[in-house]
């Protein structure tokens, strides 16, 4: 039988994959967010909990910067914001996936 950490790790992996696929479909980012909120309490008290927090923050901050980039695109700077946002999201998906694979938390819980 799987432990709570093993189950949470599998869910976190699915969410990282959905976040990556969202560059092609868009809607999978929202599906990933819903999964995060529904399953985050199952991950509490495990090393995987920080991944759920990391993934949720990736979505919300990514959305914020996307909106700011779109709103400022008419003056040109928005395109740089959007490009930086895409790179930042890719970084967070890759870093999170690698840490998950190595069974490391994203950061120390305080």
């Amino acid at each position: 039988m799987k432990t709570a950490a093993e189950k949470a790790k599998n869910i976190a992996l699915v969410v990282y994959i959905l976040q990556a696929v969202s560059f092609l479909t868009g809607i999978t980012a929202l599906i990933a967010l819903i999964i995060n909120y529904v399953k985050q309490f199952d991950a509490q008290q495990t090393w995987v909990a920080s991944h759920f927090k990391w993934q949720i923050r990736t979505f919300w901050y990514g959305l914020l910067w996307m909106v700011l980039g779109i709103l400022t695109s008419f003056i040109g700077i928005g395109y740089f914001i959007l490009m930086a946002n895409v790179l930042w999201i890719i970084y967070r998906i890759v870093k999170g996936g690698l840490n998950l694979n190595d069974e490391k938390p994203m950061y120390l819980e305080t």
Side-chain angles (χ1 to χ4, degrees):
M1 187 128 127
K2 289 186 176 183
T3 66
E6 290 170 330
K7 291 178 186 176
K9 180 182 177 185
N10 290 339
I11 295 296
L13 176 61
V14 168
V15 170
Y16 282 123
I17 292 169
L18 288 170
Q19 286 179 329
V21 172
S22 72
F23 285 104
L24 302 173
T25 64
I27 191 69
T28 58
L30 187 58
I31 295 168
L33 180 70
I34 292 168
I35 291 170
N36 273 139
Y37 277 118
V38 169
K39 299 301 277 182
Q40 73 178 340
F41 299 106
D42 295 345
Q44 284 183 341
Q45 307 303 320
T46 71
W47 63 270
V48 187
S50 65
H51 284 271
F52 280 73
K53 195 179 290 186
W54 177 267
Q55 292 166 333
I56 289 169
R57 288 179 179 170
T58 299
F59 176 87
W60 287 116
Y61 284 112
L63 180 64
L64 170 69
W65 286 107
M66 183 181 72
V67 169
L68 289 173
I70 290 169
L71 291 175
T72 58
S73 62
F74 73 94
I75 58 172
I77 193 165
Y79 298 109
F80 295 105
I81 293 171
L82 290 170
M83 182 55 69
N85 188 39
V86 166
L87 295 174
W88 179 78
I89 291 171
I90 291 170
Y91 161 78
R92 288 182 64 96
I93 293 169
V94 170
K95 181 166 178 66
L98 291 173
N99 277 13
L100 184 71
N101 186 58
D102 292 341
E103 297 189 351
K104 295 179 185 175
M106 290 313 302
Y107 40 78
L108 296 176
E109 297 290 328
T110 55

